[in-house]
Amino acid sequence: MRTPQLITNSSNLPQGPENCPQLQARSGFLWYFGFLVVNLFPAILVVLCCQFLSTASSSTFVDSCDFEEDNICGTIQGPGKAKWKRRSSVRGGPKTDFTNMGQCQGKGYFMHFSTSSAKPGHQAFLESRWLYPKPGVQCLQFFLYSTAAADDVLNIWVREYDQANANGKLKLFKSISGGVQGSWELHNVDLNVTKKARVVFQGVRGKRQSKGGFSLDDINLSSTKCPQHIWHIRNIKGQMAKTPPGKKLFSPRFLSTAGYSFQVGVYLNGLSSNPDYMALYLHLTSGPNDKKLKWPCPWQMATMALMDQQSDIRQQMNMHQMITTDPNEKSSDGTEFFWDDPRKVGSKVTDSDGSVYYRGPGYGTSTFITHSRLRSRNFIKGDDAIFLFSLEDISHLLKPQSLPHSALHADASLLKAADQGAPEEAVINPKMLGLLKAADQGAPQEVVINLNMLMLLKAADQSAPHEAVINLNMVGLITACVAAAVLVVSIVMIGNICGKKKGKGELSDDVLIIKHVPGSLEEYPTKGSFFTTP
């Protein structure tokens, strides 16, 4: 048998019109135009989507700094007898920055305040450049390496500016006590900045003898709420090497804002049925507030994320898993409520420190992330992995939501205008409900963008709150992408018709046509990933 010939040049492939003579006169132009569109469309779509994403990200992203540039991200030194200094290593630690971990020669810097050289009571202020955050909550995220004395303090302030406070007004958000930690640690601080501001890191030398100081790196500020809890797993490669499949590692217990106690269990080497995956499960645990809480636990949404430890938050691709506690969910045998009080449905656990508590059944996925994916990007950095957890009450989402008064007023005005014979563009199209109904019933010829509906939405936008306004640029982008996709699908269908006319038997058995070459993306299972464990 002859070795198949690999075709990589499109000119050697069977051509559509030649293999479909009856369509040659009509589809010759479409075939070559289709070939051009199919090859250019992905690039065009990427450009459009990147432009859209850059616009969208600008509304949520605020600032990022890894201190690699000489201008140290525009930060300034505030008043004080001590100063923050840019360093690549410090005697006593850290030996490297967090961004590069010493892997890039000539790079790898962080900011350091030496409490060992400062006198008791001396302070050092490191202030960010001007920030103009989006209204609402913000999350300040940074890595801290502390070798300071126990009574040394790092304070995180925000200095806001307005007409009444030309020099800025300071507001304290968090204080972190010193103490030798010996590693880079992630810290999250929820902010609520509404004006032009600077973030201020204030280092304060205590009275005790100090042999180190505070070091800062990879500072990010984004318009989002911080995760509530951090689980830092050290020496994860070593633990994976000695942990057999089916053995679970448990996080510390955490308290949610509503008072529920929970912990997360992770199978580093998966279950015996999926040893190439990491498995992840949520457990409710007994806690100090159980007598005051509602049981079964109603509508708490858990977010569990494995952090991609990229220095710039815009480049992070965290792995997320979300679970909601349904109070009506029953156990597999139907005898108990799954999310009931752990003292009723859980098992007794004795912790390493001798404390006793109850752990409820676990709910999660056996295919959270593959080991090959885990070793990619920066899910593991410096032999450490970081999980981010939140458990939030979402019961308010179940309540009926009424429309804003302005939106109702706009709808009433439109209906009144229609009754009085307003122009056709402002009148509700009575065929819209019929079109939607037909679309639901699978009538493709009536799946049409109705311009009258867009006019109604635009009219309503003019009376609705700013947050509810439809972004017309987004509508245009989505419409363009859909139209291009429809064009490509139509061209491909013509190509398929031509291919069928040619017939399968006409291809030589010494030709191997490559239709798809897998890239770096991995294929994940689509079923059987969720189940409960005791």
Side-chain angles (χ1 to χ4, degrees), residues 184-203:
W184 286 103
E185 300 292 335
L186 175 66
H187 289 265
N188 291 322
V189 183
D190 279 308
L191 304 180
N192 191 0
V193 182
T194 59
K195 307 171 184 176
K196 182 177 75 171
R198 295 181 188 269
V199 174
V200 181
F201 293 91
Q202 177 198 26

Side-chain angles (χ1 to χ4, degrees), residues 216-236:
L216 295 172
D217 204 2
D218 288 5
I219 300 174
N220 285 284
L221 182 62
S222 57
S223 297
T224 185
K225 192 174 182 180
C226 290
Q228 297 169 357
H229 303 287
I230 301 170
W231 183 24
H232 192 150
I233 303 179
R234 308 179 194 282
N235 187 28
I236 188 171

